[in-house]
Every structure is written in structure tokens, then in C-alpha cells.
Amino acid sequence: MSHGKQFTWSYLALAVMIYCAPAWADEEFDLQALGALTPLENSETLQNFIDNNALHPGTYLSVIVIAREEVDKRNIRYVLSPDRKKLLPELTKADLRELGVKVDAVPGLRSLGDEALVTDISQYIDQASYQFDIHSHQLTIRVPHLWRDAQGMATVSEKYWDDGLPALLLGYYYSGSRDRDDKSGTSAGHYFNLSPGLNVGAWRLRNNSSYSEDTGWQTMSSWLQRDIRTLKSQFTLGETWTNGELFDSVQFTGAKLETDTSMLPYNQQGFAPTIRGIANSDARITVKQNGYTIYQTWVSPGAFEINDLNQVSAGGDLDVTVTEADGSEHTFTVASASVPVLQRAGAMKYSLAAGRYRSSSDSAYAPDFAQATLVYGLPAGLTVYGGALGTNRYQAGLLGMGKDLGTWGGFSFDVTAAGAELGDRDGKSRGTSYRMQYAKNILATNTTLTLASYRYSTAGFYTFQEAIDHQAQADDNDDFYRYRRSNNRRSRIQVNLNQALADWGSIYFNAWQQDYWDLDGQERNLSAGYSTSWLGMSWSFNYSQTQTPNSDTDRQLSLNLSIPLNQWLPDTSANYSMNSAPHNTTSHQLGLSGTALENHALSYALQQSYSSQNRQYNASVSGNYHASWGQLGAGYSYTQESQRLNYSLQGGVLAHPYGVTLTPSLNGAVALVHVEGGKNVKVQYGQSLYTDYFGNAVVPWISEYRRNRITVNTESAENVEIPEATRQVVPTDGAVVLAEFASHVGARALVTLIYQGKPVGFGAMVSYGSNNSAIVGDQGEVYLVGINGDTPLSVQWGTKPDQRCTGLLPEPQLAKKIMTATVQCHQG
């Protein structure tokens, strides 16, 4: 028989033994049946292999998988099935309920006590089964969808929530520009945002500060926070903001305790605004909320979309200013509102806050206030909710009800009554505000109505913010929205709609309008767009309209076309866009954009523009580089009369028990990847994330209170072997959780072991290093990892003294990815 056939049959025999050993663990296996197929000189080697690898009934640490999702990891006791062909887990009815099985709805399980063993689930649920993998210790539970609790499976038991490591954090963002104009000369602008923090156990200390030429340094918020697990809540002390679901969000200094929706199932979490607009040139986008600048960035001409605002923007309208290359500005508002207020039966959500109002202006009026809200789910899809807010000069109460309409979506309606003392001249004012909200996802037509809401307020109704503005008598003539400070809202309507058109692309429509008592005109923002692709080409059409009282309507239109050039320039597209702005100004842009370098770390764009206004030409080039240490951006543009250089830097610094690590971002919870001795190991996340010299890397933007799979890839790292390349972490809010990977650092070697002139027998065990072992294959070959320097090898194929030998593997040649060697093994 040839060596190739011996090799095939030997491994086939070994596979048969591995498969059969657990099923008939208590039966004797006839080793002589393999005598003609293997090069083993005695059966004790094979018997030893079977004894050490057979899986007998007992308790094993198991990974539990349901619907292809890893839902738990625990010690489980297994027993043999009646036919002795597989192992069955001893799970109780309570265990299955915790794992997301609707045991109380299954007829056969309903009458059992929580401690009753459900060893064979197929006896109770048709087409349900257990399957245990003896190699990976993975228990797969298959249950028909009818009997699975999707909401329960989406959450993770509190016992797996990880508060993470003690750590010091510093997130930073900087953007700057240097402008040169033939008329006005040279000017420069800078914007900084710093987010330092400290983690100790469950406590989070955070600060959010910014700087710009217009406002100087501002501390937007400083707070101390921790979660209260039994209440599914967060406690916050310091400069923070109220929940914006029922009342408008208010920034204040004080304390709050409120339900943390990230601990709840996904379908009970809130609504986040997306900013869409159109820029006519390389423009600066500035986002303000309650007078604070919370975000600033640069965009290229055409339609833009911003959807990465941090949590400071939760609840409250966002004022967006687009500053064009020529210095002109147009401003619009993005409404931040809630979807219909709904809770499942028995679920409760609440918020308690008390402190002193905090304004971004120099107003001396800063009243103490308290606010409380409660949302509770009733049977039949009903939800009731209410709240109260009060100061010594302002009181408001709210009552409402929501209804889950099933296939018709969700709806809520509420009434707010408020009274305010507006000053000696205006006296007391009382009024009422009515709000209706509706949302629907129509699966049959792929239509998503994210939000449709309408609010009407009587003439005497003032929100808390409106009352404060009126009482403070703040009237800044340079404020684009100065009318807000002296007039209260009358009505407000908002619609967000997305429609997929199958193979024809998709459309979106967002509209928002409000008007004020004693003021003509409306404040209005409308955006709509259509996008599709054909033969690899993509194009989109976008329209936006902005209107404010006593001002002209600002209408803008853009058309964008992108054609891939992969046949000539890999990862590159040719782009054309046309923008139509007010005053009959039309601009055209033609350029190239794409990515380059390993893992597409560099993105770039080159563009030539023409504007019908004054027949001006404009050219620009920009690039962004993504690395493990952060993101670096730069751009340059010019016209006949001006030049602009803009640049940005974003990232973070994390100090932790394993050292100090640079990171591209530090928003929210992060995972610290640690591979001992494993530098330059690729982390399967983002574009260019590798471990540093100390084997550390930071994975940002992981989901809080959810399972996150962190995977590493050692193909790019020399001389690093990682047996288990995936770890699962469940961080709490703001945590720095550890994803530590065991590694063998050193060379890889394919070694042929020779004993008394012949290859060492198939199945022999090789021990080397501190705690490493491997099994000898056909023809005496064994694969070893983590080899450093001269390495002694200990080989054993039985228990007797003459059934072992030792050898020495010389120091490997590190230039080779996998070295090959032959080692003479001597008895000893």
C-alpha cells in the first residue's frame, strides 16, 4: 500500500474512533481492526488516545446556541440517551425559559414545575432537538420559531454584564481651516472637542467640552454615572439633560435616575435623528443644540448625511448651519422627536430628575426644577403614560395613552397642561398642548414610516424652555432664530418616510414645520430624495427647502452620479454632481473618489467645480486616513479669489492595566483586545485595526448590554498562533471590557520525528514548551507552534519506560513562515 493511501486510511480510522468513542463510551473497541491500516507498533498508543478523548456522561462547560446565536456559556450535566447514541443535557424548565423558549405556552411543559428536568425536548415540542458537539462543547438547541421568545433572546442575562477594567479615557476631535481671500486676507478657524473620562468598577466619570472661535471654551457637561441593574436604570449626578420622550429635553445641573433603554429589547429603544442636507461647495457643517456646538465637520459639495451624533444630542431640536467656501451660510433645523410611546404588557419605563436649569447664554435666570415621567404597558397593546415638571414659576402635567395597532402600526396621544409666570408685564399664562404620534413599517410594500406626529398648543401654552426664554427676556438680534425667544409655538407637524422600490432603488421624504403665536409665517424644513443603481452605476436626486418667519425660502436641488472605474483604476469611481442653489446659482462638479492602501485605509477625492455665479471655477482634493491610532483628514480647495486648507484629527487615548493604547474612537463602550506578545495582529473590525507593539488594540462602538463577538486574524502577524480566535463580551454602559486571547508566540514548525531509524508511530503525544502538546500524524510528522530557541521535545506512545523518547528541535530560522525539520528521537 502506498504512503498516500496509508495516510488517508489512518486519518479516516482516527476520525471513526473520535466519532464513535462518545457514542459507545462504555463499550470496548477492537483495536486490532485497525492493525492493517495504521503504522502503530502496539495498540496501547491508540487505546491511550481513545481514553483521553472519549466524552463520557458528566458535567462540561458548554456554549449554548439558539437560532445561530450564542446565548449562554455555562456548566451543564449530560446523560446518555436511551439508545446510548448521544449525550443529552439536563436542563430544567426554568433554564429553557431563561434561554428564550416559551415553556409556559407549550401544552406539555405548562403543567411542569420550574425545577422539572427536560432532558429530551423533542418529547414536548415537535421538531425541537438538542445537539451537542463533542469537539467544541457547543450545545445547539433547535426550537421552532413559534415557541421562541424573540424579545427574551435579544437580551442578555445580567450575570454576564461586564463592568470592565479600571481605565482613564480621553476622546478628542479637532478640525481646523486656514482661509486666504484676495479681499479679506488670511483667517483661520479651529474647533476642538474633548471627552475625558474615568472608569472604576460600575462608576463612570465623564466630561464633554468644546472650543470654537465663536463661543470659546465651553463645558457642555460633566457627570458621574453608574447603572442600577435591578431597576434597569442609570443614575447620573452632575451636568446632564432630562429625558426628551414626553417633555422637551432640558440641560441642567443635578441628579437623575431613569430607565436605560439599551438594557431593554431592541424594539423598546428610541429614535435618533439623522441630519440630511445639501452643500454647494466644500462646506463646514456646525450642529448646535440649546446653544451649544455639539458637532462640526467638513463635507464635499452635494448631498450629505450625518448619523453619528453622540448621546448629548438625545432629545431636543438640532440647529444646523452650512458655511460655504465663500463664507455664505444657510441654516435649518432637524427635529428630534420620539416614536409613539409604547410598552409591552407589564413593562415600565420611568425618569426622575431634579436640579438647576443650565443655559448656554449668560442669562441670570436659572431656576431649580424637578421632573418625573412614567410609561407603563397594559394588556391588549395599551400603554399609559404621564409626567410632571415644575419650578416656583412654571408647572406642567402630562397624560397620554398609546395603542399597538398590530398590522396598522403604533399610535399615541397625549395632553399637556402648563401654567407659567412670565413677568410683571405679562402676568400668568395657562394653556394646553395636544400631541399625536404614529409609526408604521409596512412589510408588504417595504415602506417605513419612522414618525408622523402633530402637536397643537393653545395661545397660553408655554414649554419650559419657552417660559425661561420669555422670563429671561433674552433677545439677541444676531441670533438666526431670535423669534423663538419671544414667541411660543402654536402647531408643529413632522413626517419621516422611507420607501424601498425593489430593483428600482428607494426614496425618502422628511418634512418638519412649526409656527408661532403672534408671528406670521412658518419655520419649515423639507428634504426628499431618490437613489438607485444600474449596471454598477449609482445615482441620486435630492431636494431640500428651508423657510423661517420673515425670510425668503431657501431651496436647493442636487443630482449625483457615480460610475465605478474598477477595470482601469481599482476601488475608484468617477463622480458628477449638479447643485442648484438660491438666486439662480448652479454649480457642477466632476471628479474621482476611491480608496487605497491595505484594508482601504485611505479614502480620497479629487474634484473640479464650476459655478454659474460669476462663472467661478473651483478645484479641491481631500483625503482621510484610518489607522489603529485614529483618523486623519485633510483637504485643499481654491477658486480664482480664495484658497482654503482644512484638516481634522480624531481618536482617543486609553490608559488601562495593560498599558496605554491609542484608538480611533472612544464613544460608548469599547473592547480592549489583548494578545500577550502578539503585535500587529489584525482585529476583524473596521478598516485598519491592528494590535500595537504591546499586543493591545481598542475596538470602539460595541453594543452595550448585548453580545459582541471580537475576532482576530493572525495571518498578517508573524510567529503568532492563537488557538481560539473569537471572544464574546457583554459590556455595560461606557465600559472598557477585556477580550484576552491566549497565544503561542514563536515560530511554526513541521517536524518529522525519527526513532530507531523509523518514523514515530501515528497517535503518539508530543510535549514541548511550558504547557504545549501535539499529536503525531502519519509518517512521524507533527505540527508545532510557539517555538523559541532550542526546544526539547518529549514523545510518548505508552506508559512503559521504553515507550517514550526525547529530542531537540534547533532554533528555527525566523525568516521562514513555517520551518521544516527532522529530529532524531532517543530513548529516555
Side-chain angles (χ1 to χ4, degrees), residues 8-52:
T8 303
W9 281 104
S10 298
Y11 275 101
L12 179 60
L14 183 61
V16 170
M17 289 185 289
I18 294 173
Y19 177 79
C20 295
W24 295 277
D26 295 338
E27 299 179 6
E28 194 68 30
F29 188 83
D30 185 6
L31 300 176
Q32 302 303 319
L34 300 173
L37 302 178
T38 71
L40 293 175
E41 296 184 359
N42 66 74
S43 61
E44 189 173 354
T45 305
L46 190 56
Q47 184 67 61
N48 182 64
F49 179 82
I50 292 175
D51 290 342
N52 289 337

Side-chain angles (χ1 to χ4, degrees), residues 406-410 438-450 498:
T407 58
W408 295 96
Y438 175 79
K440 170 62 180 167
N441 184 10
I442 307 173
L443 298 177
T445 60
N446 271 337
T447 303
T448 303
L449 183 62
T450 306
N498 294 273

Side-chain angles (χ1 to χ4, degrees), residues 477-676:
N477 292 327
D478 294 329
D479 185 358
F480 184 77
Y481 291 109
R482 59 187 178 274
Y483 52 83
R484 290 183 181 173
R485 299 190 182 276
S486 55
N487 298 89
N488 55 322
R489 285 176 292 187
R490 178 170 56 184
S491 66
R492 170 173 175 156
I493 186 170
Q494 180 181 350
V495 177
N496 297 334
L497 178 69
N498 294 273
Q499 174 67 63
L501 303 175
D503 296 335
W504 297 95
S506 63
I507 59 176
Y508 73 87
F509 175 80
N510 300 328
W512 174 80
Q513 175 181 295
Q514 68 181 10
D515 54 10
Y516 296 80
W517 289 100
D518 302 321
L519 184 68
D520 295 332
Q522 295 88 24
E523 185 180 351
R524 176 184 299 161
N525 179 250
L526 182 151
S527 62
Y530 169 74
S531 61
T532 188
S533 60
W534 179 67
L535 296 179
M537 298 181 295
S538 60
W539 64 278
S540 64
F541 172 85
N542 300 274
Y543 173 79
S544 72
Q545 175 180 310
T546 302
Q547 179 182 338
T548 57
N550 305 322
S551 66
D552 296 333
T553 301
D554 181 358
R555 295 182 178 88
Q556 297 192 62
L557 184 70
S558 75
L559 173 66
N560 304 277
L561 175 65
S562 179
I563 303 174
L565 303 176
N566 292 330
Q567 293 183 348
W568 302 278
L569 294 172
D571 302 313
T572 303
S573 298
N575 308 296
Y576 166 78
S577 64
M578 182 275 293
N579 300 319
S580 176
H583 311 298
N584 298 319
T585 300
T586 302
S587 61
H588 303 267
Q589 295 86 29
L590 183 64
L592 295 175
S593 64
T595 59
L597 304 182
E598 187 178 1
N599 298 307
H600 307 285
L602 177 66
S603 58
Y604 64 88
L606 303 125
Q607 195 161 257
Q608 177 70 47
S609 305
Y610 170 77
S611 175
S612 62
Q613 186 179 25
N614 301 326
R615 297 185 178 180
Q616 283 193 340
Y617 289 91
N618 177 31
S620 65
V621 57
S622 62
N624 284 279
Y625 180 73
H626 301 263
S628 300
W629 48 263
Q631 302 175 39
L632 179 65
Y636 173 76
S637 62
Y638 71 89
T639 67
Q640 292 100 317
E641 300 175 348
S642 64
Q643 295 149 25
R644 167 177 288 172
L645 177 66
N646 60 271
Y647 28 83
S648 65
L649 180 64
Q650 180 178 356
V653 183
L654 178 67
H656 49 83
Y658 296 88
V660 178
T661 306
L662 300 179
T663 169
S665 176
L666 271 178
N667 285 322
V670 300
L672 174 67
V673 174
H674 179 68
V675 183
E676 186 67 36

Side-chain angles (χ1 to χ4, degrees), residues 91 140 159 187 199 228 231 235 380 429 473 502 725 736:
L91 294 176
T140 301
K159 63 183 177 182
S187 61
N199 283 11
I228 309 297
L231 300 177
F235 171 73
S429 179
Q473 295 297 308
V736 178

